[in-house]
Amino acid sequence: MNKEELLTKEGLEKTIGEYEHLVSVKRKEVEERIKEAREHGDLSENAEYDAALQEQAELEALIKKLDERIRYAKIIGEDELDTDKVNVGHTVTVVRDGSDKELQYTILGSAEADPINGKISNESALGKALIGCHAGDVVEVELPKTKTKYTVIKFEKF
């Protein structure tokens, strides 16, 4: 059984758009490359044909992945968010132990995570630690090489 995919409304719309593009445009382009490569003769020694088949396999795998993401999407709805504690869909301001610099992270589903831009997965170590917290709470996050403490300053709907 597949698990639900937490997405924002915008994230779902982006996923649907990408899926539709791959199915209606990209799939036809790859099929055309396969057709052209077949016309070059002996398929057993045709690198162009092999490359086109590989591209087709990768494309179909991506289409399947996006289809499942859409099928099992659960929209992070603003009206469903618990405003008393940190949850998926909140932007959280924290301070790392030993620093006075405030950091902001938006907690989203793994499909929309982009840590470089401050969007972390609810399944990440920091995301898991922050969910359920209140302003003023201190959480300890175990990272691959160290443990780090964060103090939750505030949180709000993204």
Side-chain angles (χ1 to χ4, degrees), residues 102-114:
E102 291 187 353
L103 305 168
Q104 275 197 333
Y105 298 103
T106 300
I107 303 174
L108 299 170
S110 60
E112 293 181 271
D114 182 5

Side-chain angles (χ1 to χ4, degrees), residues 19-42:
Y19 173 84
E20 290 174 348
H21 174 75
L22 293 176
V23 169
S24 63
V25 176
K26 198 76 170 145
R27 187 181 267 165
K28 289 177 184 168
E29 290 174 359
V30 171
E31 288 170 358
E32 186 61 32
R33 275 196 281 287
I34 291 171
K35 180 182 172 190
E36 289 174 11
R38 274 191 190 128
E39 293 172 358
H40 292 150
D42 184 7

Side-chain angles (χ1 to χ4, degrees), residues 72-86:
Y72 297 104
K74 180 179 186 306
I75 302 299
I76 301 167
E78 287 187 19
D79 53 335
E80 299 171 10
L81 292 178
D82 184 348
T83 56
D84 295 335
K85 58 187 175 186
V86 174

Side-chain angles (χ1 to χ4, degrees), residues 92-110:
V92 185
T93 303
V94 297
V95 173
R96 187 180 320 188
D97 197 28
S99 171
D100 58 355
K101 182 180 176 189
E102 291 187 353
L103 305 168
Q104 275 197 333
Y105 298 103
T106 300
I107 303 174
L108 299 170
S110 60

Side-chain angles (χ1 to χ4, degrees), residues 48-59:
E48 188 179 333
Y49 179 73
D50 290 341
L53 286 180
Q54 179 64 34
E55 183 180 2
Q56 182 184 43
E58 291 170 4
L59 175 65

